[in-house]
Amino acid sequence: TTLSQMASAVSSVLLVATIGSSVQRHVSLSGSESGDGTEASPFRFLQQCVDVSTSGDVCALANGVYDTDRDVTVVDRPNLASITIRGDASAAGFHTILDGSVAGPTVWVPMTAVDSATGRRSPSCVWESAPLAAGSPLPAQLWITNGQDTASGDVVSTESFEVLTPARFPNARLSDDSVFTAVGPNGSMLYSSKASTFGELVDDGTHTPSLATSGLDVTGMVAVIPLGVMGDELQGVRVTKHSKGVNHFSYTALPGTTASLHPNIPYYFEGDCGLLDSEDEWCVVRNATTDSVRLRVWLVGCGDPNTLKFRVKRRQYALNVSSTAVTLQNLTFRATAFSAYRADLVLDSVNLSFPTSSGRAAGLTGAPQVVLVQNTPSRGSFAMYNSLVEWADSICTFDNLGSAPNIVNSEFLRMSYGGGSCAVVGDTLTSGGMLFDRNSVYLFNAFTAVVPGPRSVITMNRIGRQGAACDGALIHVHIGPQNGTVISRNWLYDAQVKATRFDRVNSPGAEWGYNGTVIENVAWSTGGIMIKGNNHSVQNNTAFDTVANQPAISVMEFDPRVKWSAKGENVNTLFINNAADSYFNVSGQLAGHNTNDYSGAIRRQLASPTTFDFRPQLATALAQCRAGAYSTNNGAYWIPGRQAAPVHVPHPPSLLVPTA
């Protein structure tokens, strides 16, 4: 029975539709502040609906793009322990959008270029805007849109939202994903050398051009550096000293930053108009004397910005939740995010598009914004189903999730282009017991994708296309959280970091973790699988084609040649039925209780790895020994990742493996 049918069956004097003990109230762009929340007389603003709701009620938002001039606050009160905020999913191809952007400049003038040899002036591809309105926030992001604006500047419909790239060195684009190709002489990142110290970064000279050969003096610019431990203090820092032709620079970090620096960390420069030298870039011009702000753009094909519509980010958070149970359904947060403090938060079919950003594009230093969840192990919970997060630029997108978080059948793409600690989820202030199931994560530059807490289950995920070379893993498990954590049936691929790692500090006397399980995973074109600690179970994994000739699977054991090696490591670990190009070993001996671990050229023995069929071919040595993730033919070929229609990866034919 639909709501309209229910409404027609009750007395016409009822103002709102009642569902069981809950009430559904309506919000619409066509509503008014004097509306009563009925479908015939909806509210104009979501806050109106929240303010009159009681526990179990639903605020139903009609289709459209909602301006977030008014941030919405949902706070626990005696009669509001829970609420659902639901968008309209009925309109094909369009969503209920909470928009954190505002109309950008509409008047642009071309700048002129001066030939350094002749002094002649000629038109350039760079255009400068008229001054932004006084009091406007400094733009953090800039998009081109073909949406139709109202007189007030609100977008009422949109079909595209194309991001422009803040001016940067080395050059790379957001729009073509080249920012995620972060290695190699033409990659999107430079790398520090081991000679670097905290406050003084020395470039390793491997990029073309390198810092020394770039012709730049980066003094006063913002350098983006993943400081701290595994990028957990990523920030834009101010360069205080540099000269053209020099391969090192001094910088000032945020007060309180850990004086820790991984060797060979990725970094780049962003935001300064002195870096605006390529199409698809933009920057902010600030006049300290007049306090005016203008934008500069270089569009593809030297395009004229006067023919386009622009949007700039203005809001960090459209929704603030505190100590309440809130369910969000069928919503898109665009150019904005939400914050939650000790709340029970459920996201069902929610899209977060460009939810977080930094001030680097405007020349500001500091850490990027986060999707701010502040739960504790005993206060608050988090669940996400059938959702999408894209273009989150943050140290760690989701952290402090509280009790037993669930993230299921969701997609995370184009995350953490500036680096950072984790692209998706961290293990800070969680009670453990996380379920991370059937998700797809790809295109990111963070050190890790997922950092689970204790007793977590990480299963049936597809995680890959990590771009920056750094000391991390797609699934990285710290010491305590290894206990009871299960990592199973994941595809882990195309990464400069490890596929999965049970970690510890590299010191012979360091504490290590216990009782983790890594079973039936496939890892290719990564840094391999690494297991530190003891009493783990490592079974039926397939690993091949590692980067930099690293062992495909490393179950660490005592090695007298390695100064940080620890006696007794992994002596009780179960290590069976794995298939790998190579293994870490000491004098030919594998760690733990090992049996039937096949070593050989794996790729050529698989049915069709390029089309994601990782079963062994008939009559191969791999098929005969029945090792690896698809060693047994039980009639079910598991395919991980977010499920959608149509499926992204077809089921392979059934005749490529034995029937017995």
Side-chain angles (χ1 to χ4, degrees):
T1 303
T2 65
L3 287 177
S4 60
Q5 290 171 328
M6 293 175 64
S8 64
V10 299
S11 171
S12 60
V13 300
L14 289 178
L15 296 179
V16 291
T18 301
I19 308 174
S21 60
S22 67
V23 172
Q24 176 165 289
R25 295 177 174 85
H26 297 270
V27 182
S28 173
L29 292 174
S30 62
S32 72
E33 293 189 71
S34 61
D36 57 24
T38 61
E39 196 166 7
S41 180
F43 296 128
R44 170 60 182 87
F45 296 105
L46 176 57
Q47 188 69 62
Q48 293 174 266
C49 183
V50 171
D51 288 345
V52 298
S53 292
T54 58
S55 295
D57 286 357
V58 176
C59 290
L61 280 74
N63 193 30
V65 179
Y66 289 79
D67 175 25
T68 56
D69 256 333
R70 302 186 179 189
D71 294 352
V72 178
T73 300
V74 184
V75 180
D76 180 40
R77 59 178 190 261
N79 62 344
L80 186 64
S82 64
I83 188 173
T84 295
I85 300 173
R86 180 182 298 149
D88 183 0
S90 63
F94 199 65
H95 302 282
T96 304
I97 299 175
L98 304 181
D99 186 35
S101 70
V102 65
T106 58
V107 177
W108 301 80
V109 295
M111 300 184 69
T112 56
V114 179
D115 189 296
S116 58
T118 65
R120 292 179 179 174
R121 302 172 67 86
S122 60
S124 77
C125 291
V126 177
W127 294 68
E128 186 172 273
S129 74
L132 302 186
S136 299
L138 287 173
Q141 291 170 304
L142 180 66
W143 301 270
I144 298 172
T145 178
N146 65 352
Q148 303 300 312
D149 295 344
T150 65
S152 64
D154 295 342
V155 178
V156 296
S157 67
T158 186
E159 295 177 356
S160 70
F161 217 65
E162 179 185 343
V163 65
L164 294 176
T165 306
R168 56 176 289 149
F169 173 74
N171 285 334
R173 292 188 191 179
L174 300 176
S175 60
D176 65 4
D177 296 331
S178 58
V179 290
F180 301 106
T181 304
V183 295
N186 302 115
S188 64
M189 301 277 195
L190 303 162
Y191 287 85
S192 67
S193 78
K194 293 182 179 180
S196 300
T197 58
F198 184 69
E200 185 75 16
L201 190 146
V202 182
D203 184 64
D204 71 359
T206 58
H207 195 277
T208 303
S210 66
L211 176 61
T213 61
S214 66
L216 294 171
D217 179 353
V218 297
T219 303
M221 295 187 184
V222 174
V224 186
I225 308 177
L227 297 173
V229 178
M230 294 183 64
D232 65 354
E233 295 181 79
L234 169 76
Q235 59 189 267
V237 300
R238 185 75 63 199
V239 177
T240 57
K241 184 180 180 181
H242 180 249
S243 300
K244 289 183 181 180
V246 175
N247 74 336
H248 58 91
F249 62 88
S250 303
Y251 63 87
T252 300
L254 292 175
T257 300
T258 304
S260 174
L261 193 69
H262 277 65
N264 305 109
I265 59 172
Y267 76 99
Y268 67 103
F269 302 92
E270 185 176 52
D272 195 277
C273 283
L275 304 174
L276 183 60
D277 62 356
S278 180
E279 63 181 24
D280 209 40
E281 290 189 340
W282 70 287
C283 65
V284 176
V285 183
R286 300 168 64 186
N287 188 314
T289 302
T290 63
D291 200 30
S292 66
V293 176
R294 300 171 185 262
L295 306 186
R296 289 179 185 172
V297 296
W298 183 341
L299 300 180
V300 173
C302 289
D304 181 353
N306 290 295
T307 65
L308 301 171
K309 293 181 181 293
F310 293 86
R311 306 288 295 182
V312 295
K313 184 182 178 79
R314 68 169 171 188
R315 284 289 181 199
Q316 286 195 326
Y317 303 112
L319 181 67
N320 302 281
V321 179
S322 179
S323 304
T324 311
V326 176
T327 297
L328 306 176
Q329 293 181 326
N330 306 325
L331 295 171
T332 292
F333 289 76
R334 188 178 63 195
T336 189
F338 57 80
S339 68
Y341 177 75
R342 296 184 176 181
D344 295 317
L345 188 64
V346 177
L347 277 61
D348 180 5
S349 302
V350 171
N351 293 346
L352 295 166
S353 184
F354 301 99
T356 56
S357 62
S358 74
R360 301 188 301 258
L364 303 180
T365 60
Q369 173 200 352
V370 298
V371 176
L372 195 61
V373 180
Q374 292 181 298
N375 289 336
T376 71
S378 60
R379 296 288 302 276
S381 61
F382 180 87
M384 171 186 280
Y385 307 104
N386 310 312
S387 294
L388 166 70
V389 184
E390 60 177 348
W391 288 117
D393 181 22
S394 181
I395 292 176
C396 187
T397 305
F398 293 110
D399 213 345
N400 308 298
L401 295 183
S403 175
N406 279 230
I407 301 177
V408 178
N409 203 48
S410 294
E411 190 169 15
F412 304 84
L413 69 152
R414 300 182 177 93
M415 309 287 283
S416 306
Y417 81 86
S421 175
C422 54
V424 181
V425 62
D427 65 354
T428 307
L429 290 180
T430 176
S431 65
M434 178 175 73
L435 175 63
F436 194 81
D437 180 18
R438 279 213 167 276
N439 302 293
S440 294
V441 184
Y442 53 96
L443 288 170
F444 61 96
N445 283 333
F447 281 60
T448 69
V450 179
V451 186
R455 304 177 310 283
S456 292
V457 176
I458 315 299
T459 185
M460 294 293 287
N461 302 289
R462 190 176 181 188
I463 306 175
R465 300 183 70 183
Q466 182 271 345
C470 48
D471 182 22
L474 299 179
I475 303 173
H476 184 94
V477 192
H478 290 126
I479 298 166
Q482 292 168 30
N483 186 20
T485 287
V486 177
I487 300 171
S488 68
R489 292 194 168 186
N490 302 285
W491 286 355
L492 308 168
Y493 66 101
D494 291 353
Q496 301 302 312
V497 297
K498 299 283 190 291
T500 185
R501 177 163 66 180
F502 287 170
D503 205 10
R504 69 170 176 87
V505 176
N506 286 344
S507 170
E511 178 188 4
W512 60 40
Y514 296 88
N515 301 324
T517 298
V518 179
I519 184 170
E520 291 189 335
N521 300 281
V522 182
W524 72 97
S525 301
T526 72
I529 295 171
M530 176 173 278
I531 306 297
K532 300 177 183 179
N534 201 6
N535 297 94
H536 299 305
S537 179
V538 183
Q539 301 184 53
N540 291 91
N541 300 285
T542 299
F544 59 99
D545 293 355
T546 54
V547 298
N549 296 315
Q550 299 178 73
I553 299 181
S554 298
V555 177
M556 306 307 296
E557 57 185 316
F558 178 65
D559 185 347
R561 300 166 298 178
V562 179
K563 64 180 181 179
W564 55 265
S565 188
K567 291 183 178 181
E569 187 159 31
N570 281 313
V571 295
N572 295 318
T573 289
L574 186 65
F575 186 25
I576 63 174
N577 297 332
N578 297 283
D581 286 344
S582 59
Y583 296 97
F584 173 81
N585 66 89
V586 179
S587 301
Q589 178 62 45
L590 298 180
H593 302 291
N594 61 84
T595 183
N596 198 39
D597 292 303
Y598 178 84
S599 178
I602 298 299
R603 172 177 282 276
R604 67 187 185 189
Q605 299 186 68
L606 300 178
S608 180
T610 57
T611 58
F612 308 107
D613 188 346
F614 301 109
R615 296 174 296 183
Q617 297 180 44
L618 292 171
T620 61
L622 180 59
Q624 297 303 314
C625 75
R626 290 186 174 274
Y630 294 92
S631 60
T632 59
N633 181 35
N634 59 10
Y637 185 87
W638 51 269
I639 298 175
R642 182 181 184 181
Q643 291 180 312
V647 295
H648 296 302
V649 181
H651 195 295
S654 60
L655 300 178
L656 296 178
V657 295
T659 57

